[in-house]
Amino acid sequence: GIHLVKSLGCHGCHKIRGYEDARKVGPDLRKVAGKLDRRWMINWVREPKAFRATTKMPAIFDLPNVRSQSDMARNTAAVQSMVTYLSEKSECETYPDPPVEGDPDRGQDLVGKVGCRACHAVGAGDDVRQEHGWRNYGPHLNGIGSKVQAGWLYAWLKDPKQYSPDALMPDLRLTDQEAADLTAYLMTLS
């Protein structure tokens, strides 16, 4: 029970004694406009499991008990309003494209060399539905190319703590070329 409360992030929505200062399971949303694609955000809020079957984010729209035409219209308006609000209130950070041209083939090779698979499922053959396996520490990266912007991904790979000071992702001390190559590869995963 303790493991599930922590890993599912129940304390993010519910007051639970002893979890008042616990790290949230969900990501920081204060800078989403510079990171996420708007169309992806709408799809994610509407149906999180369509993108990542193992997500801990619950579906709150289009549930079986609210599927009338007027419910669906209200849900669509609510989802678009939420995404608009998050985008407009987002800290306006921009991330330029990588300073050097990346090579997706070299990036794919680097995924194995720098240890991405120690925490992430990434690329063909990785079981993205594995919920409690050893690679469930970081998010699955399959599909990331349709989620994030290339400039943000490059900046994240170079210095995760700059985007999120309490990020669990380590600084891999990548060169500009390595980060560009990884970005080029990961952006093909859409």
Side-chain angles (χ1 to χ4, degrees):
I2 291 171
H3 169 72
L4 289 172
V5 165
K6 286 180 182 176
S7 67
L8 295 175
C10 301
H11 60 278
C13 296
H14 303 280
K15 291 182 182 181
I16 303 173
R17 185 172 302 156
Y19 291 87
E20 295 84 0
D21 298 321
R23 184 178 186 278
K24 303 295 182 201
V25 171
D28 187 336
L29 298 177
R30 292 177 290 187
K31 301 177 184 179
V32 297
K35 174 184 179 181
L36 301 175
D37 175 78
R38 181 179 171 81
R39 186 177 57 238
W40 183 90
M41 288 172 61
I42 288 170
N43 292 337
W44 174 260
V45 171
R46 188 146 211 162
E47 191 179 353
K49 291 196 183 299
F51 179 78
R52 181 170 293 128
T54 59
T55 185
K56 295 171 179 103
M57 171 109 171
I60 59 173
F61 294 101
D62 304 337
L63 299 175
N65 61 331
V66 285
R67 288 200 177 243
S68 72
Q69 191 172 11
S70 63
D71 289 331
M72 297 301 275
R74 188 173 31 258
N75 289 344
T76 297
V79 168
Q80 290 178 353
S81 297
M82 289 172 65
V83 170
T84 298
Y85 174 80
L86 288 172
S87 297
E88 287 178 0
K89 296 298 180 186
S90 179
E91 294 173 20
C92 295
E93 293 198 28
T94 58
Y95 299 93
D97 287 335
V100 294
E101 183 80 22
D103 181 314
D105 292 331
R106 285 195 311 251
Q108 185 175 11
D109 188 49
L110 278 170
V111 163
K113 289 182 178 176
V114 299
C116 301
R117 286 191 172 98
C119 298
H120 303 278
V122 56
D126 272 352
D127 182 6
V128 296
R129 294 184 185 268
Q130 182 179 0
E131 289 190 48
H132 302 292
W134 58 277
R135 282 187 302 191
N136 199 36
Y137 190 70
H140 299 301
L141 299 179
N142 292 333
I144 194 166
S146 60
K147 176 181 178 182
V148 301
Q149 298 171 24
W152 178 87
L153 182 55
Y154 175 83
W156 173 261
L157 290 169
K158 287 293 287 179
D159 186 4
K161 303 277 188 227
Q162 181 180 354
Y163 180 80
S164 178
D166 49 338
L168 299 177
M169 170 89 172
D171 182 348
L172 299 172
R173 295 174 290 188
L174 300 168
T175 66
D176 290 351
Q177 186 64 59
E178 289 170 330
D181 293 343
L182 280 168
T183 298
Y185 170 64
L186 293 173
M187 292 304 292
T188 68
L189 303 177
S190 57

